[in-house]
């Protein structure tokens, strides 16, 4: 039985707006990171509480995404993609601005959680919009570009935040003023363009050639997404602690490591995943990627200096950069008509995994030093075993 393509074509203009929306939300998250100490120094006062509140504010944002993403996904499946994306962009931009100028700590927590809740309305629903308007092969390529847009936003955010914080102090205003004005302004411009140009279409679907995968396949994909992001969160915190406490790296050197990580992930998304994803239907690809990521984490324990980190970080970045869009793509294939709800559940699982990985990595490093990388890698080996035992999601539709 052949498939009948009923998908409404996605225009280049709509796709560009979706990329801009994802970039704006990712940039808005990244711009906060270098400015948080200045914000906390202004509202908290006690310097000893800065590390605690830095972690808690980040966790609050991730918790809001964890709770909000499935809810927004269900709403988008009922009322459409465009209104949810517009509400998410508007709310995120407003919350970002309010956080930058929050007069006290409790309001900082409130606005940070509100920002995460509205970010959860943009990310999975944008992927669902593309799923509605793309057949399988073109969907894979577009997912790759969307993942790259997210990575580039995370990459640009800290640089923009740090530079504008310095400029704010130079002109005698709070360090949070210019970074949050700029990031909120970028979000507002994207909202205006999306309100003006982004179209709302009926959820055109691709009729599958076979019955959809069972629910246990979707649950497995969600669990694998959680494990990958657990590894990413643990890697980010672990690399920071290893660089500072073991290898004696400077902040600039650590920044270069994270720049390399983001750049490799974006390149893998566009140059490797995009042309190959729809041809890699079996479970072996996921298994190998999990094993490579686990091996890269274990290899980090043998690093003795800055020069030894380059290939190790690149290996982890390449494997995780391949796995993240691949799992999103396969969740989309398994979602059937409930695209936004299922992709929202995946965003929720991924944010929970990243939050857990970040939270436990510090404790593990304090307890067992660099062996903590092997503890995180062990969970990725479990993920590889689970992927090997699961049933692959077959691509039902090819491009005409």
């Amino acid at each position: 039985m052949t498939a009948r393509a009923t998908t409404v074509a996605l225009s280049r203009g709509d796709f560009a707006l979706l990329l801009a929306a994802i970039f704006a939300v990712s940039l808005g998250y990244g711009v906060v990171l270098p400015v948080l100490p200045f914000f906390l120094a202004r509202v908290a006062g006690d310097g000893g509480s800065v590390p605690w509140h830095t972690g808690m504010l980040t966790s609050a944002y991730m918790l809001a995404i964890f709770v909000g993403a499935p809810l927004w996904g269900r709403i988008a499946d009922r009322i459409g993609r465009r209104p949810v994306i517009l509400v998410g962009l508007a709310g995120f931009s407003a919350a970002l601005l309010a956080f930058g100028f929050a007069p006290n700590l409790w309001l900082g927590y409130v606005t940070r959680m509100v920002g995460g809740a509205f970010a959860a309305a943009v990310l999975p629903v944008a992927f669902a919009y593309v799923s509605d308007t793309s057949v399988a092969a073109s969907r894979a390529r577009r997912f790759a570009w969307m993942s790259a847009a997210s990575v580039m936003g995370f990459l640009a955010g800290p640089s923009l935040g740090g530079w504008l914080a310095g400029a704010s102090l130079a002109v005698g205003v709070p360090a949070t003023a210019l970074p949050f004005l700029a990031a909120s302004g970028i979000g507002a411009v994207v909202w205006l363009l999306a309100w003006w140009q982004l179209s709302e279409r009926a959820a055109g679907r691709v009729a599958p050639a076979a019955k959809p995968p069972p629910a246990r396949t979707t649950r497995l994909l969600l669990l694998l997404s959680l494990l990958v992001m657990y590894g990413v969160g643990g890697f980010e915190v672990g690399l920071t602690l290893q660089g500072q406490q073991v290898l004696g790296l400077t902040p600039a050197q650590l920044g270069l490591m994270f720049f390399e990580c983001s750049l490799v992930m974006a390149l893998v998304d566009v140059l490797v995943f995009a042309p190959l994803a729809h041809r890699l239907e079996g479970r072996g690809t996921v298994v190998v990627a999990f094993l490579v990521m686990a091996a890269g984490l274990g290899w980090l324990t043998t690093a003795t200096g800055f020069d030894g980190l380059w290939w190790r970080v690149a290996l982890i970045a390449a494997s995780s950069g391949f796995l993240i869009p691949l799992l999103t793509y396969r969740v989309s294939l398994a979602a059937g008509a409930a695209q936004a709800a299922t992709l929202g559940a995946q965003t929720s699982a991924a944010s929970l995994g990243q939050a857990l990985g970040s939270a436990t990595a510090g404790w593990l490093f304090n307890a067992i030093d660099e062996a903590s990388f092997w503890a995180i890698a062990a969970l990725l080996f479990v993920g590889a075993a689970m992927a090997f035992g699961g049933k692959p999601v077959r691509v039902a539709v090819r491009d005409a």
Side-chain angles (χ1 to χ4, degrees), residues 31-338:
V31 81
V32 173
L33 301 179
V35 186
L36 266 181
F38 297 98
F39 170 80
L40 291 170
R42 176 168 62 83
V43 300
D46 180 12
S49 67
V50 168
W52 164 258
H53 287 299
T54 298
M56 290 302 293
L57 281 166
T58 303
S59 297
Y61 181 88
M62 290 297 178
L63 178 63
I65 294 179
F66 169 70
V67 173
L71 299 177
W72 284 116
R74 294 189 190 101
I75 293 171
D77 278 335
R78 290 189 177 186
I79 70 172
R81 316 310 191 203
R82 182 178 183 272
V84 173
I85 292 172
L86 289 175
V87 168
L89 278 172
F92 179 79
S93 300
L96 196 62
L97 187 63
F99 176 77
F101 291 92
N104 50 56
L105 186 58
W106 76 265
L107 193 57
Y109 273 97
V110 170
T111 54
R112 199 72 186 122
M113 293 188 73
V114 170
F118 280 109
V122 177
L123 300 174
V125 179
F127 278 94
Y129 189 111
V130 170
S131 294
D132 294 340
T133 53
S134 307
V135 291
S138 58
R139 189 187 312 179
R141 292 193 297 270
R142 287 164 180 161
F143 275 18
W145 281 99
M146 295 168 81
S147 181
S150 178
V151 170
M152 296 309 294
F154 285 128
L155 180 61
S159 300
L160 179 66
W163 178 68
L164 289 178
S168 296
L169 293 173
V171 298
V173 298
T176 55
L178 292 181
F180 291 103
L181 277 171
S184 180
I186 290 170
V189 169
V190 175
W191 178 90
L192 184 62
L193 291 172
W195 174 79
W196 183 36
Q197 290 287 345
L198 187 64
S199 57
E200 178 66 275
R201 299 183 176 91
R205 306 290 180 195
V206 176
K211 64 180 181 179
R216 65 178 179 273
T217 299
T218 302
R219 289 195 294 269
L220 174 61
L221 290 169
L222 297 182
L223 182 56
L224 293 178
S225 297
L226 185 148
L227 289 176
V228 169
M229 294 310 297
Y230 183 95
V232 171
F235 159 69
E236 290 173 343
V237 173
L239 179 64
T240 300
L241 293 172
Q242 181 194 39
Q244 290 175 338
Q245 299 182 15
V246 178
L247 303 180
L249 302 187
T250 66
Q253 288 174 321
L254 273 174
L256 279 175
M257 288 294 99
F258 284 109
F259 178 86
E260 178 206 7
C261 182
S262 298
L263 183 61
V264 170
M265 289 178 73
L267 290 175
V268 167
D269 286 338
V270 174
L271 301 180
V272 180
F273 174 76
L276 296 179
H278 67 285
R279 298 173 183 162
L280 303 173
E281 300 177 9
R283 58 196 172 193
T285 306
V286 177
V287 173
V288 170
F290 263 99
L291 292 176
V292 170
M293 188 176 175
L297 283 165
W299 195 20
L300 274 178
T301 62
T302 66
T304 58
F306 177 68
D307 292 339
L309 287 175
W310 291 100
W311 289 108
R312 293 163 173 83
V313 169
L315 191 65
I316 297 168
S319 53
S320 61
F322 189 82
L323 272 171
I324 292 169
L326 177 60
L327 290 172
T328 303
Y329 173 55
R330 295 195 175 182
V331 167
S332 173
L333 292 176

